Amino acid sequence: MSALNQPVLKLTDITLEYPDGDGIVTALDRVTLDVAAGEFLSLIGPSGSGKSSLLAVAATLVTPTGGTVLIDGVDATGLRDAARTALRRDKVGIIFQQPNLLASLTALEQLVIVDHLRGDSLRAAREKAAQLLDVVGLAGSAGKRPHQLSGGQRQRVNIARALMGDPSVLLVDEPTAALDHERSDSIVRLLRRVTDTFSVATVMVTHDTEFVPLTDSVASMRDGVLAAARPVGV
Ligand code: ADP
Ligand code: MG
């Protein structure tokens, strides 16, 4: 494997158990998954099969019971809280189903504050935010607040915001669940384009298998067990 194709997200033998009354529920059962830079992977499977749990572990938001999470070669499971938070901030973009935008801020400001909190100058943050709004097709809406944007436009702001930190890994949980078909299609196409443009390793949880052909590979979960990813179309 060439250096270019080294996985930037490497989950190895991940187990995640939650307490459940007197027993435990195994949300992830020895899950192994590699995602390379520029690869767009669909993660499918029934409700409750562990898809969101897998994203939470990959995002380093939840520490697994067992196994390792490597992001750009760094083992997140071996880090202290502060170092893990820094790794997440520098390497991981997270896009949930609901955009969670702040009601009082404009589209541009939603992006600027996350970068400014990272320590960039306000001016650099504003320039980068404007560029990313352009990438997601919202150059003309930079001054709009969430209530002035459509659901699809809010999800585009959410995607642009996740890109502000130049992530290596993009984790996306059912980005189209609240959108109609046409808007869903354009959101998945946008994720395809940003995956290519920024060479991120993208994992998208989706229940819409019709969007799988826009991705490179597909892996399916059932009862916490992940079947090996396979290339789309094979
Ligand atoms: P999916 O995203 O595929 O619907 P989840 O990852 O949300 O699946 O859930 C996988 C399993 O883990 C389910 O049985 C769910 O009830 C359980 N689970 C998820 N989060 C928690 C939690 N915070 N505490 C206890 N059980 C949880
Ligand atoms: Mg889920």
Side-chain angles (χ1 to χ4, degrees):
M1 190 181 264
S2 79
L4 273 177
N5 290 324
Q6 288 295 327
V8 291
L9 174 64
K10 192 170 177 61
L11 307 180
T12 308
D13 221 7
I14 299 286
T15 296
L16 178 65
E17 293 169 342
Y18 291 114
D20 182 44
D22 293 337
I24 51 161
V25 54
T26 304
L28 298 173
D29 191 357
R30 309 197 62 171
V31 166
T32 290
L33 178 69
D34 289 356
V35 191
E39 179 179 352
F40 190 2
L41 177 123
S42 302
L43 182 60
I44 60 175
S47 180
S49 60
K51 305 180 300 295
S52 293
S53 297
L54 189 153
L55 286 196
V57 167
T60 78
L61 290 166
V62 168
T63 302
T65 314
T68 55
V69 178
L70 263 65
I71 296 175
D72 269 351
V74 176
D75 181 1
T77 50
L79 298 177
R80 290 167 185 268
D81 283 355
R84 199 169 56 244
T85 301
L87 179 74
R88 186 185 318 127
R89 185 191 62 206
D90 294 341
K91 302 283 186 187
V92 183
I94 303 172
I95 298 167
F96 293 122
Q97 183 176 327
Q98 295 297 336
N100 281 325
L101 302 177
L102 296 162
S104 63
L105 298 186
T106 66
L108 189 85
E109 289 164 348
Q110 313 278 348
L111 275 59
V112 166
I113 56 159
V114 295
D115 209 46
H116 195 47
L117 291 175
R118 273 190 189 97
D120 279 0
S121 77
L122 208 48
R123 185 182 165 170
R126 290 180 73 91
E127 271 175 26
K128 189 168 185 185
Q131 277 169 14
L132 283 172
L133 286 179
D134 191 28
V135 166
V136 302
L138 288 179
S141 300
K144 291 191 178 163
R145 294 178 210 284
H147 72 275
Q148 299 171 301
L149 299 167
S150 69
Q153 289 174 321
R154 285 196 290 271
Q155 192 58 292
R156 286 168 187 271
V157 174
N158 195 20
I159 292 168
R161 182 174 57 180
L163 294 167
M164 281 295 282
D166 300 318
S168 305
V169 175
L170 201 53
L171 302 169
V172 197
D173 201 351
E174 306 222 19
T176 64
L179 302 177
D180 64 26
H181 178 269
E182 195 179 319
R183 284 175 173 156
S184 297
D185 186 75
S186 73
I187 288 294
V188 179
R189 287 180 192 280
L190 173 61
L191 290 167
R192 169 80 264 175
R193 186 154 54 81
V194 302
T195 301
D196 295 341
T197 304
F198 300 104
S199 267
V200 284
T202 301
V203 178
M204 175 178 70
V205 170
T206 181
H207 60 269
D208 286 316
T209 48
E210 65 170 306
F211 296 125
V212 168
L214 292 171
T215 67
D216 299 310
S217 46
V218 56
S220 62
M221 289 209 76
R222 181 170 288 271
D223 296 335
V225 176
L226 186 77
R230 56 185 169 76
V232 167
V234 174

